[in-house]
Amino acid sequence: MTTPNRRNSDFQIAYLLAGKCHTADAAYAMLCNLREERELALYEAEKVADKFARRDDVEARMFKRNLDAGVKELETINKCIERVQPLRKYRHLPDDEAHEACQREEWKL
């Protein structure tokens, strides 16, 4: 179950998605993917924002509520990334290399 106007609740992001990873690096990789997905969704929403602003009051309010929820979800993802960052084993590597490096260890656990 998600909260209205969001893909994932704060609890789901922290405990059911990042929390189910066995290593901090795998959680970081998952959170990075989630952040990218949300950033893309917000970018796409910004491109159509003017269309909704010119429509009736109900559609404009619903669009604004959804946009605000997406921003809040992205903020939660970024907070989780900040928390897991100091725990990462491969933080010295560029993200793409770190995501690859952690896979074997994550799989073993």
Side-chain angles (χ1 to χ4, degrees), residues 49-65:
D50 289 338
K51 291 180 187 177
F52 280 93
R54 287 182 252 134
R55 293 186 181 184
D56 69 38
D57 294 340
V58 174
E59 283 184 336
R61 277 185 295 163
M62 288 178 65
F63 179 80
K64 171 88 169 86
R65 191 175 7 190

mmCIF file of all heavy atoms in Angstrom, residues 49-65:
data_model
loop_
_atom_site.group_PDB
_atom_site.id
_atom_site.type_symbol
_atom_site.label_atom_id
_atom_site.label_comp_id
_atom_site.label_asym_id
_atom_site.label_seq_id
_atom_site.Cartn_x
_atom_site.Cartn_y
_atom_site.Cartn_z
ATOM 1 N N ALA A 49 3.340 20.975 -16.516
ATOM 2 C CA ALA A 49 2.740 21.751 -15.428
ATOM 3 C C ALA A 49 1.868 22.898 -15.943
ATOM 4 O O ALA A 49 0.787 23.146 -15.408
ATOM 5 C CB ALA A 49 3.817 22.277 -14.495
ATOM 6 N N ASP A 50 2.309 23.582 -16.971
ATOM 7 C CA ASP A 50 1.532 24.713 -17.504
ATOM 8 C C ASP A 50 0.180 24.273 -18.040
ATOM 9 O O ASP A 50 -0.808 24.982 -17.893
ATOM 10 C CB ASP A 50 2.310 25.427 -18.603
ATOM 11 C CG ASP A 50 3.482 26.209 -18.060
ATOM 12 O OD1 ASP A 50 3.473 26.551 -16.861
ATOM 13 O OD2 ASP A 50 4.420 26.475 -18.851
ATOM 14 N N LYS A 51 0.113 23.096 -18.645
ATOM 15 C CA LYS A 51 -1.154 22.592 -19.169
ATOM 16 C C LYS A 51 -2.162 22.414 -18.041
ATOM 17 O O LYS A 51 -3.334 22.760 -18.174
ATOM 18 C CB LYS A 51 -0.951 21.257 -19.874
ATOM 19 C CG LYS A 51 -0.180 21.337 -21.152
ATOM 20 C CD LYS A 51 -0.033 19.952 -21.755
ATOM 21 C CE LYS A 51 0.892 19.996 -22.949
ATOM 22 N NZ LYS A 51 1.110 18.657 -23.512
ATOM 23 N N PHE A 52 -1.705 21.883 -16.914
ATOM 24 C CA PHE A 52 -2.619 21.661 -15.795
ATOM 25 C C PHE A 52 -2.991 22.963 -15.104
ATOM 26 O O PHE A 52 -4.086 23.093 -14.574
ATOM 27 C CB PHE A 52 -2.017 20.670 -14.797
ATOM 28 C CG PHE A 52 -2.178 19.254 -15.221
ATOM 29 C CD1 PHE A 52 -1.176 18.627 -15.946
ATOM 30 C CD2 PHE A 52 -3.336 18.559 -14.942
ATOM 31 C CE1 PHE A 52 -1.324 17.310 -16.369
ATOM 32 C CE2 PHE A 52 -3.488 17.248 -15.358
ATOM 33 C CZ PHE A 52 -2.477 16.621 -16.084
ATOM 34 N N ALA A 53 -2.107 23.913 -15.113
ATOM 35 C CA ALA A 53 -2.393 25.201 -14.483
ATOM 36 C C ALA A 53 -3.528 25.914 -15.208
ATOM 37 O O ALA A 53 -4.269 26.685 -14.603
ATOM 38 C CB ALA A 53 -1.145 26.065 -14.456
ATOM 39 N N ARG A 54 -3.678 25.647 -16.505
ATOM 40 C CA ARG A 54 -4.719 26.304 -17.291
ATOM 41 C C ARG A 54 -6.037 25.545 -17.292
ATOM 42 O O ARG A 54 -7.012 26.017 -17.844
ATOM 43 C CB ARG A 54 -4.228 26.476 -18.735
ATOM 44 C CG ARG A 54 -3.173 27.561 -18.843
ATOM 45 C CD ARG A 54 -2.726 27.769 -20.272
ATOM 46 N NE ARG A 54 -1.371 27.229 -20.359
ATOM 47 C CZ ARG A 54 -0.924 26.439 -21.307
ATOM 48 N NH1 ARG A 54 -1.699 26.083 -22.290
ATOM 49 N NH2 ARG A 54 0.314 26.002 -21.296
ATOM 50 N N ARG A 55 -6.091 24.384 -16.677
ATOM 51 C CA ARG A 55 -7.328 23.602 -16.638
ATOM 52 C C ARG A 55 -8.165 24.000 -15.432
ATOM 53 O O ARG A 55 -7.797 24.886 -14.672
ATOM 54 C CB ARG A 55 -7.011 22.121 -16.607
ATOM 55 C CG ARG A 55 -6.382 21.665 -17.900
ATOM 56 C CD ARG A 55 -6.205 20.193 -17.926
ATOM 57 N NE ARG A 55 -5.580 19.820 -19.186
ATOM 58 C CZ ARG A 55 -5.357 18.582 -19.546
ATOM 59 N NH1 ARG A 55 -5.703 17.589 -18.766
ATOM 60 N NH2 ARG A 55 -4.788 18.312 -20.694
ATOM 61 N N ASP A 56 -9.276 23.277 -15.252
ATOM 62 C CA ASP A 56 -10.164 23.641 -14.141
ATOM 63 C C ASP A 56 -9.469 23.456 -12.792
ATOM 64 O O ASP A 56 -8.436 22.828 -12.668
ATOM 65 C CB ASP A 56 -11.477 22.853 -14.208
ATOM 66 C CG ASP A 56 -11.318 21.375 -13.923
ATOM 67 O OD1 ASP A 56 -10.519 21.021 -13.040
ATOM 68 O OD2 ASP A 56 -12.008 20.580 -14.565
ATOM 69 N N ASP A 57 -10.077 24.022 -11.749
ATOM 70 C CA ASP A 57 -9.455 24.084 -10.416
ATOM 71 C C ASP A 57 -9.142 22.717 -9.842
ATOM 72 O O ASP A 57 -8.115 22.526 -9.206
ATOM 73 C CB ASP A 57 -10.367 24.829 -9.443
ATOM 74 C CG ASP A 57 -10.511 26.283 -9.838
ATOM 75 O OD1 ASP A 57 -9.665 26.785 -10.585
ATOM 76 O OD2 ASP A 57 -11.490 26.891 -9.389
ATOM 77 N N VAL A 58 -10.011 21.733 -10.061
ATOM 78 C CA VAL A 58 -9.823 20.410 -9.471
ATOM 79 C C VAL A 58 -8.589 19.732 -10.074
ATOM 80 O O VAL A 58 -7.744 19.217 -9.342
ATOM 81 C CB VAL A 58 -11.079 19.530 -9.672
ATOM 82 C CG1 VAL A 58 -10.832 18.119 -9.186
ATOM 83 C CG2 VAL A 58 -12.266 20.145 -8.951
ATOM 84 N N GLU A 59 -8.463 19.735 -11.391
ATOM 85 C CA GLU A 59 -7.302 19.113 -12.034
ATOM 86 C C GLU A 59 -6.012 19.801 -11.627
ATOM 87 O O GLU A 59 -5.006 19.150 -11.384
ATOM 88 C CB GLU A 59 -7.442 19.138 -13.555
ATOM 89 C CG GLU A 59 -8.389 18.096 -14.085
ATOM 90 C CD GLU A 59 -8.419 18.085 -15.600
ATOM 91 O OE1 GLU A 59 -8.098 19.118 -16.231
ATOM 92 O OE2 GLU A 59 -8.765 17.039 -16.159
ATOM 93 N N ALA A 60 -6.026 21.111 -11.550
ATOM 94 C CA ALA A 60 -4.818 21.857 -11.164
ATOM 95 C C ALA A 60 -4.412 21.519 -9.732
ATOM 96 O O ALA A 60 -3.228 21.323 -9.451
ATOM 97 C CB ALA A 60 -5.057 23.352 -11.310
ATOM 98 N N ARG A 61 -5.384 21.433 -8.827
ATOM 99 C CA ARG A 61 -5.081 21.078 -7.428
ATOM 100 C C ARG A 61 -4.563 19.657 -7.310
ATOM 101 O O ARG A 61 -3.615 19.398 -6.563
ATOM 102 C CB ARG A 61 -6.317 21.251 -6.548
ATOM 103 C CG ARG A 61 -6.512 22.690 -6.090
ATOM 104 C CD ARG A 61 -7.654 22.773 -5.145
ATOM 105 N NE ARG A 61 -8.831 22.403 -5.944
ATOM 106 C CZ ARG A 61 -10.000 22.046 -5.466
ATOM 107 N NH1 ARG A 61 -10.204 21.993 -4.189
ATOM 108 N NH2 ARG A 61 -11.000 21.732 -6.242
ATOM 109 N N MET A 62 -5.163 18.737 -8.053
ATOM 110 C CA MET A 62 -4.707 17.341 -8.011
ATOM 111 C C MET A 62 -3.285 17.231 -8.555
ATOM 112 O O MET A 62 -2.455 16.519 -7.999
ATOM 113 C CB MET A 62 -5.658 16.445 -8.800
ATOM 114 C CG MET A 62 -6.991 16.224 -8.107
ATOM 115 S SD MET A 62 -8.118 15.220 -9.083
ATOM 116 C CE MET A 62 -7.263 13.676 -9.132
ATOM 117 N N PHE A 63 -3.015 17.944 -9.637
ATOM 118 C CA PHE A 63 -1.669 17.912 -10.208
ATOM 119 C C PHE A 63 -0.658 18.471 -9.208
ATOM 120 O O PHE A 63 0.398 17.889 -8.987
ATOM 121 C CB PHE A 63 -1.625 18.717 -11.510
ATOM 122 C CG PHE A 63 -0.271 18.744 -12.131
ATOM 123 C CD1 PHE A 63 0.184 17.666 -12.876
ATOM 124 C CD2 PHE A 63 0.569 19.826 -11.952
ATOM 125 C CE1 PHE A 63 1.447 17.673 -13.434
ATOM 126 C CE2 PHE A 63 1.836 19.844 -12.514
ATOM 127 C CZ PHE A 63 2.277 18.766 -13.252
ATOM 128 N N LYS A 64 -0.985 19.579 -8.573
ATOM 129 C CA LYS A 64 -0.089 20.200 -7.592
ATOM 130 C C LYS A 64 0.153 19.248 -6.414
ATOM 131 O O LYS A 64 1.274 19.086 -5.949
ATOM 132 C CB LYS A 64 -0.690 21.514 -7.088
ATOM 133 C CG LYS A 64 0.020 22.159 -5.931
ATOM 134 C CD LYS A 64 1.124 23.072 -6.395
ATOM 135 C CE LYS A 64 1.669 23.926 -5.280
ATOM 136 N NZ LYS A 64 2.697 23.336 -4.494
ATOM 137 N N ARG A 65 -0.892 18.598 -5.936
ATOM 138 C CA ARG A 65 -0.769 17.658 -4.825
ATOM 139 C C ARG A 65 0.144 16.491 -5.210
ATOM 140 O O ARG A 65 1.001 16.071 -4.430
ATOM 141 C CB ARG A 65 -2.149 17.158 -4.428
ATOM 142 C CG ARG A 65 -2.170 16.386 -3.141
ATOM 143 C CD ARG A 65 -3.567 16.031 -2.734
ATOM 144 N NE ARG A 65 -4.531 16.389 -3.772
ATOM 145 C CZ ARG A 65 -5.837 16.366 -3.634
ATOM 146 N NH1 ARG A 65 -6.369 16.010 -2.511
ATOM 147 N NH2 ARG A 65 -6.636 16.701 -4.614
#
